[in-house]
Structure formats: C-alpha cells, structure tokens
Amino acid sequence: MSAPTETPAAAVKPSPMSSLKRFVAKPSGALSLAALVVFALTGLIGPLFVDKPGGLGTDILQPPSAEHWFGTDDLGQDVLAQVIWGTRISLTVGVAASAIAIVIGTALGLLGAYVKRADTWVTMVTDLMLSLPLLPLMIIVTAMVGPSVTTLTFVIGLFSWPEVTRLIRSNGMVVVAMPYIDGARALGATGWRIVTRDVLPAVVPLIVVSVLLTAAKAVISEAGLSFLGLGDPDSWSWGRIMLNAQRSGVISTAWWQTLFPSLAILLLVLSATVAGVRFNDSRDPRLKDR
Amino acid sequence: MAERETVLEVDSLVRYFPIRTGLLQRHSGDVRALDGVSFTLGRGETLGIVGESGCGKSTLARTVVGLDKPTSGSVRYRGTDVHRASGSALRKLRRRVQIVLQDPYTSLNPRKTVRDLLTEPFEIHRDVLPGPKRLPRVKELMDLVGLNPDHLDRYPFQFSGGQRQRIGIARALALEPEVVVCDEPVSALDVSVQAQVVNLLRRLQRELGLSYLFIAHDLSVVRHISDRVAVMYLGKAVELGDRRDVYDRPGHPYTRALLEAVPIPEPDGRDTRRRTLLSGDPPSPVDPPSGCRFRTRCPKAQSLCAETEPLLRIGSAPASEVACHFPEGIPSSRGT
C-alpha cells in the first residue's frame, strides 16, 4: 500500500473566520455574498420603509422616474414597492422550501449511503422523482390544495429534494467505504452514531452548496408558479408582479413592470449559484489559487 | 509449547462472496475468500497469519472481529459466538476483541482530533469510565503507545504514518481488550518505522497480557512477533505450527517456496541457496483447483493431489500441522 499523498490543508479544520476570509478573497465570493446580503436586508427591513402597494394611484403606467424609480403599473402602484415586498415572499419561500428539501434530501441520502438494504428503494424513489415532469405536477398540486405562501413552500420543497438526495448519497457512499468507518463499527458504534458523527460532518460542505443552489431553484419555481396564477393572491412576489403585467395586457409596452422583477430573480439566482460555486472552490485543497 | 488458556476459537470458518451477474442479479458463483479455516488462540499468545495477497487474510481479520459475517463456521471468544451475540453480550465482546487496521492514513477520521478519536471508545461504551476519568485515561493511553499527551488537539494529518498507527493502536487498546486482531498493521509503514511499531506491539503484549492475531504478508515481521504461525493459500490454512518449526522445518511446499523467496541480506551463500521458484499466479478463488489447491503450482504434485484434498495433520515437526499429501522432510509413503 502506498500512502496517499495528502495536502496538509486538506484536513485542517479551518476556523470560521479564515474560511470566510478565503471565501471573500476572490471578487466572485465578495460580490455574490454582498448581493445576497443586500437581498436579505431588503426582504427583512425593506417593507418597514415602504408602504405595502395597494389601492389605486393617479400615476398610471409611468416609466421609471425620480419619483417612481421602477415606474408604476396600470393601477398606479409603485413597482419598486412591489419588488421590495416581493423580495420578502420570494426569499421566504426560497429559503423555507430549500430547508425542507435539504432536510429530506440529506436524511434519505445518508440512509441510502449507509443502509445497503434501503439504498435500492432510495435510489428508485429518487430516480422516479427526478423523471417526473415537475412543473405540471406542482401546478396540479398547488391548484388542488389552494394557493397560499405555505402551499407554495411545501410543494416546492417536497419536489426539490431528489437532487440533494442524489448528491449526498453518492458522496456519503465514498465516506462509508473509508476504513475509519470499519474502525468505528469495530468499536461498537451504532449506525446512528456513525452516520451523525462520521458521515454527516464529511458531507456538510456539500449541504451548504446544496442549500444555495436549491434555494435559487426554489425562487425560480416560486416565480414561475406565481406567474401562472398559483401564487398567494394576498401577498406580493416577483412572479405576481409579472403576472399583473401580463393580465393587464401591458407586458409589451410597460417594459419596466417585467424588467425589474426579472432582474431581481436573475441577480438573486446568479449570486446564490456563484456563491455556491465559490464556497466549493474555497474549500477545495487541490486548487492552488483558491 | 506450554498449554495456554484458549481465548479465541475459530472453527471451520467459511466466507463466500456471492457473484451476481445480469439484470436479475442471478447468483453465478462465489469468491471463496475463506474456505474452512480453524485455529485457536491462547491467552498472551501471538498467532501470525501469512499468505499472498488475496489469500483471505483480511477477510479472516474482518470476520474474527465481526465486521463481516461468515457463510458458515464460527468464531468464539471465551465461549461466546461472535456472530450470534447481541445486546450486552455483543457490547462486552466489542470491548474484549479489537482490531488495528491496516492503513493508518485512512483508518482515522481526518476531521477528528486525537482527543476525539481516543475519547470515542468511552462515549460508545459509557459504562466503562465515568466522564471525569476519561481525559486522564486518554493521556495515559497516549503515553502507553509513546505519543506526547500534549498533542491531544492535533489532527491525524499532523502526525507521521508511524505515529498515526500508534493512535490506531491506542484506540484499539482504550477499552482494555484481551484479543487484538492486527490486520497488516505495519505494511503501510516504512521499514524503520515498522520495527518501532512491532516492538511497541510486543511491549504492550508483555505489559497488558494481550493475545494477538497478527496478519501480515511480510514473513520476517511475522517471525519476529509470532509464537505460532499459520500459512494461508487461497482461503485455506496449509500449514499451522510453532514459529520455529514452520520457519526452520517447513512442511508444506508452499511454505517452503515462500521462505525461499525471502531475500537474504548477506551475499555469502546466495548462489548456493536452494530456491524453488513458483510459476504462475495463484488460481482464481472463484474456481479453485480440485483436490489440493496448491497442486497447480506445486513441484511435487501427483495425480493423488488432484483427486483428494489433503487435510491439516501432524507434519514433520510434532508441533505443526501440514495440509499436504507429500510433506517436506517425510518420505512420500504417507499419502493414502
């Protein structure tokens, strides 16, 4: 047996500070993180400064101006206010749905990786879920349950876990095959202990990346479903702004009404994805220039 | 050989790995990793197991400590069947029979500090030591295996291979086992470090009264540490006996060939040395030869060897057993 050459950094447990520093050392990390922070702050405290859009205004279909930065819609409501309030809902649905998907996905992935007998079933169900046409299914389920923020969150979360399962399972299997797992078994460690103390910590970095990517996808799904009229009619979301533009027939003339929510979606998804990739790179000891 | 109290009894241990092929996973054959291995291990004794790669050594180690289930046969520690035990009997067994794994680079979780690694046995077996006594015990273990107790908060990668193997040994010893299975514990180490680790194992044996099942492919390491030696070939023990008998008066042609293949450091006498070179590779364990498994490579093979399988029995030296129809040092009249 030859000893595997191991970069010392591979096994160093980086302190939280130093790994954050490394993460933002590259512009992609700093910019994506900054964008995510701006979105989070907008969603959290933005609505405190801007009134919830509603009622009828006098300035109808105004293009962007000093008074209405993002213009107004056919009811005279401020699009900027809609986008800010929409940020809150879009982010909430994205984060909550991603949390559901991560919990289910990680649990099933670890189960498949460690318990051989369960693996066949986990793989089968995962493949089945991945092969389903998701959008039509989400539409059917949401329509049957009745549109609300909670429904959207659960529907998106419950349909997003298979990719997480697949990722965690395949990487968990690599860890389960390591000799130190045998060592723990020989000591008498229970399966639960091995999975939570040895396998789970090894896949945590992947979970972080998955959270970001799944949340980005959940935001897109939320916007898509809202645009199709399956969003919560009582709360603003980016998809609903675009739906309103489409319904009122101004989608081709009032470009500002669709451009700004679309830009918000694009920016959020892009920064979440870039942050995920950057996180992965910043932890990869094989990359010299990380 | 003085009569020793038997601690571990391995009785016709068989382990077949089924080969499944095709869409329906049809059972199309078996890899016969272990095919009827029996031996006993006495208290304070070291039994060395040698053999080529793929002869079933590691499967034997894994099966003895219960990481793998045998197809048939049994392993008993002081009367308790390792593979039938459950609950508290199994927990007790885990404490008494431990394993030192082969590769110190992959057998320690890289994300845990030495402190975590050595405290883990006590967290799994909480009844062994109360919380406050664990740290002193961990430090004592570090000391016992020759590591600096100040290095408790280091990670495995910060240690050399030999030091890592010491951590592995400390972990195996934490629960005060009686039997330690060493699965090629030094084969991943440099030669100079090998000697240190082997000597550490010997010292620990003297101090703690351990019994070792010492598995290796290095004949000189096994000679150094073992009281008795078993030679394995294709899942079977072909010779089992006192170390001196096996090394000085090998009964089985395979043992002889193995010993003759060991390089000797002195140039004198190299040219006059008798060497039997084995041709070919070991046959596939999926479809082993009929009769004696060694016959395809044996210089003494006759038609009897293909028909009847030789069993382990007393060979040229009274304290060793040989599975051969025509053992070395005995006129060939014995084959029946």
Side-chain angles (χ1 to χ4, degrees):
Chain A
M1 281 266 344
S2 64
T5 50
E6 205 174 332
T7 323
V12 190
K13 200 178 243 175
S15 72
M17 238 5 253
S18 75
S19 53
L20 179 67
K21 262 189 198 150
R22 190 182 301 131
F23 181 88
V24 296
K26 288 255 172 139
S28 63
L31 286 176
S32 59
L33 189 67
L36 288 177
V37 169
V38 167
F39 271 111
L41 287 179
T42 309
L44 277 175
I45 57 173
L48 301 178
F49 298 102
V50 185
D51 289 335
K52 185 171 183 175
L56 295 168
T58 46
D59 301 333
I60 293 168
L61 288 174
Q62 297 280 311
S65 63
E67 203 181 335
H68 301 288
W69 290 1
F70 287 6
T72 58
D73 70 358
D74 61 317
L75 298 174
Q77 294 174 0
D78 188 40
V79 176
L80 176 63
Q82 294 177 346
V83 170
I84 289 175
W85 280 81
T87 306
R88 175 174 273 189
I89 296 300
S90 293
L91 278 189
T92 308
V93 173
V95 170
S98 146
I100 295 173
I102 291 294
V103 169
I104 300 177
T106 307
L108 281 178
L110 291 175
L111 180 77
Y114 189 73
V115 185
K116 281 217 175 60
R117 255 182 292 176
D119 190 35
T120 321
W121 294 98
V122 169
T123 316
M124 205 163 76
V125 174
T126 308
D127 287 348
L128 188 75
M129 289 290 291
L130 282 172
S131 66
L132 292 175
L134 283 192
L135 190 62
L137 260 177
M138 286 191 196
I139 293 171
I140 293 169
V141 175
T142 316
M144 286 197 313
V145 181
S148 75
V149 173
T150 325
T151 313
L152 276 185
T153 307
F154 275 96
V155 167
I156 296 170
L158 292 177
F159 281 111
S160 306
W161 58 263
E163 282 159 47
V164 183
T165 302
R166 195 174 252 195
L167 186 73
I168 299 296
R169 173 183 165 271
S170 60
N171 283 277
M173 284 173 94
V174 175
V175 181
V176 168
M178 293 298 282
Y180 61 80
I181 300 295
D182 277 341
R185 280 177 61 208
L187 275 175
T190 54
W192 175 255
R193 189 188 168 88
I194 291 174
V195 167
T196 53
R197 301 288 180 91
D198 289 314
V199 187
L200 183 61
V203 296
V204 158
L206 285 168
I207 296 178
V208 174
V209 177
S210 299
V211 166
L212 288 165
L213 298 184
T214 314
K217 266 186 246 156
V219 167
I220 295 180
S221 300
E222 191 275 340
L225 287 174
S226 295
F227 180 70
L228 293 169
L230 294 159
D232 192 329
D234 299 326
S235 45
W236 284 99
S237 85
W238 296 336
R240 187 179 156 206
I241 304 171
M242 291 189 274
L243 172 66
N244 284 351
Q246 199 259 341
R247 268 191 185 151
S248 56
V250 298
I251 200 162
S252 52
T253 49
W255 51 267
W256 52 89
Q257 208 180 333
T258 48
L259 175 71
F260 292 110
S262 307
L263 271 183
I265 295 171
L266 176 72
L267 210 64
L268 178 66
V269 171
L270 188 68
S271 49
T273 311
V274 170
V277 172
R278 175 73 199 122
F279 179 81
N280 208 20
D281 287 352
S282 71
R283 289 187 53 103
D284 189 346
R286 281 167 301 184
L287 292 178
K288 276 219 180 83
D289 179 31
R290 61 195 173 119
Chain B
M1 193 182 72
E3 220 25 69
R4 294 176 197 257
E5 189 186 352
T6 300
V7 288
L8 195 76
E9 223 175 319
V10 172
D11 187 22
S12 25
L13 206 59
V14 175
R15 177 64 169 118
Y16 289 175
F17 294 101
I19 304 168
R20 297 185 189 281
T21 44
L23 198 63
L24 298 171
Q25 295 288 292
R26 216 183 355 229
H27 181 213
S28 63
D30 292 297
V31 176
R32 304 181 178 192
L34 284 179
D35 209 351
V37 177
S38 307
F39 57 82
T40 58
L41 182 66
R43 191 179 147 79
E45 183 189 37
T46 301
L47 174 63
I49 309 251
V50 287
E52 284 169 273
S53 310
C55 71
K57 301 186 302 275
S58 284
T59 307
L60 178 66
R62 294 175 54 86
T63 313
V64 166
V65 295
L67 285 174
D68 212 337
K69 285 212 179 311
T71 308
S72 70
S74 67
V75 178
R76 280 190 299 277
Y77 166 76
R78 289 191 178 274
T80 318
D81 191 321
V82 171
H83 301 280
R84 296 241 170 84
S86 59
S88 64
L90 183 65
R91 289 176 64 81
K92 189 172 170 231
L93 207 82
R94 294 281 190 217
R95 285 165 51 182
R96 305 305 284 163
V97 182
Q98 267 302 320
I99 185 166
V100 175
L101 294 163
Q102 176 173 8
D103 183 359
Y105 293 88
T106 54
S107 58
L108 300 171
N109 188 336
R111 282 171 201 80
K112 291 185 176 173
T113 60
V114 179
R115 181 194 300 270
D116 298 336
L117 288 167
L118 292 183
T119 317
E120 199 175 14
F122 303 112
E123 282 174 3
I124 295 169
H125 299 268
R126 291 184 173 277
D127 45 333
V128 176
L129 265 188
K133 287 196 181 159
R134 286 179 194 161
L135 185 60
R137 171 73 177 140
V138 166
K139 288 186 173 164
E140 191 187 310
L141 281 168
M142 293 276 281
D143 213 32
L144 186 69
V145 297
L147 289 172
N148 187 344
D150 293 339
H151 295 169
L152 267 182
D153 290 309
R154 293 196 176 181
Y155 288 90
F157 79 91
Q158 291 170 301
F159 293 93
S160 69
Q163 286 173 317
R164 286 191 217 197
Q165 197 56 296
R166 286 168 193 265
I167 300 170
I169 293 169
R171 211 162 120 92
L173 294 180
L175 299 169
E176 299 180 342
E178 186 170 25
V179 176
V180 178
V181 176
C182 306
D183 182 11
E184 306 220 21
V186 296
S187 56
L189 305 175
D190 291 344
V191 176
S192 57
V193 183
Q194 284 190 0
Q196 291 173 12
V197 172
V198 167
N199 288 335
L200 168 70
L201 287 170
R202 289 181 58 154
R203 196 192 86 217
L204 292 170
Q205 180 168 44
R206 275 197 309 276
E207 289 174 11
L208 307 171
L210 302 170
S211 306
Y212 288 141
L213 189 61
F214 191 95
I215 291 166
H217 58 247
D218 186 328
L219 291 161
S220 39
V221 170
V222 169
R223 178 176 210 161
H224 188 62
I225 196 169
S226 306
D227 299 310
R228 282 192 303 143
V229 176
V231 181
M232 282 184 67
Y233 186 77
L234 272 187
K236 279 188 181 293
V238 294
E239 183 157 4
L240 173 67
D242 203 68
R243 174 192 52 170
R244 249 168 267 121
D245 292 330
V246 172
Y247 276 84
D248 299 340
R249 281 185 289 171
H252 198 282
Y254 179 62
T255 315
R256 174 165 214 121
L258 272 187
L259 288 169
E260 283 168 2
V262 174
I264 43 176
E266 306 301 326
D268 290 345
R270 255 187 212 164
D271 300 334
T272 55
R273 187 180 180 206
R274 184 189 132 179
R275 290 187 74 183
T276 318
L277 288 178
L278 293 183
S279 54
D281 293 318
S284 159
V286 177
D287 184 22
S290 65
C292 174
R293 296 192 169 195
F294 184 59
R295 72 176 162 85
T296 49
R297 300 167 78 193
C298 183
K300 300 171 104 183
Q302 296 184 19
S303 60
L304 170 70
C305 302
E307 290 154 14
T308 322
E309 182 164 353
L311 302 171
L312 266 183
R313 58 191 151 182
I314 303 299
S316 53
S320 71
E321 293 171 284
V322 181
C324 181
H325 292 302
F326 310 104
E328 306 276 334
I330 287 182
S332 59
S333 62
R334 225 189 78 189
T336 46

